[in-house]
Amino acid sequence: MIRLVGDLENTEVTSNTIRNTGQEQEDASTPLLTGIVLSSPDGNVQIEQNTFENNPYHIVEYPESSFDLDGNDFDNRVDVTEVGETPFGAENYIAGQIDDAVAFAAEDATVDVGPGIYEESITIDVGGLTLEAA
């Protein structure tokens, strides 16, 4: 796991393979295991040319974090247009599994499923949710 916090002027996270970073939380008191955690960083941070494989959550962004994540390669990439209540107040995330993205989507959100192989069961219990695929 890579955790980015504080003054990160001119930090680069490039050309890494981030895989098998953990499993889902057991409960709200355990940390959310993920590939990269962006937690209110300041400064110019480049996150590019990385490969993400087999992570329940590839990238989790907490409030006031903002990065351009294009140029990275994801085995499975699931984005949510509007995030509901997430662990530890995360504002946004890129999941590696559809069910994980659906679980934290807000009502009337869109879950955008990127190319990949998703071998999982999905439970949708969020009102007005739209599930879209490439």
Side-chain angles (χ1 to χ4, degrees), residues 77-95:
R77 179 175 175 163
V78 187
D79 293 277
V80 180
T81 60
E82 188 173 340
V83 177
E85 186 174 329
T86 59
F88 301 95
E91 269 192 359
N92 195 10
Y93 59 92
I94 297 171

Side-chain angles (χ1 to χ4, degrees), residues 26-125:
E26 292 178 19
D27 59 51
S29 66
T30 59
L32 181 62
L33 300 174
T34 189
I36 295 180
V37 176
L38 307 172
S39 184
S40 299
D42 297 320
N44 181 22
V45 179
Q46 294 179 6
I47 300 174
E48 58 189 15
Q49 299 173 1
N50 297 289
T51 300
F52 293 85
E53 300 172 350
N54 194 34
N55 303 303
Y57 302 94
H58 294 306
I59 298 173
V60 174
E61 294 180 285
Y62 287 86
E64 300 177 19
S65 300
S66 179
F67 296 91
D68 180 5
L69 300 173
D70 293 337
N72 292 287
D73 184 33
F74 297 88
D75 59 349
N76 294 328
R77 179 175 175 163
V78 187
D79 293 277
V80 180
T81 60
E82 188 173 340
V83 177
E85 186 174 329
T86 59
F88 301 95
E91 269 192 359
N92 195 10
Y93 59 92
I94 297 171
Q97 300 171 348
I98 300 167
D99 199 51
D100 291 324
V102 168
F104 295 119
E107 191 169 303
D108 298 322
T110 298
V111 173
D112 184 23
V113 180
I117 297 172
Y118 300 86
E119 296 181 27
E120 60 183 296
S121 295
I122 303 166
T123 301
I124 299 175
D125 58 1

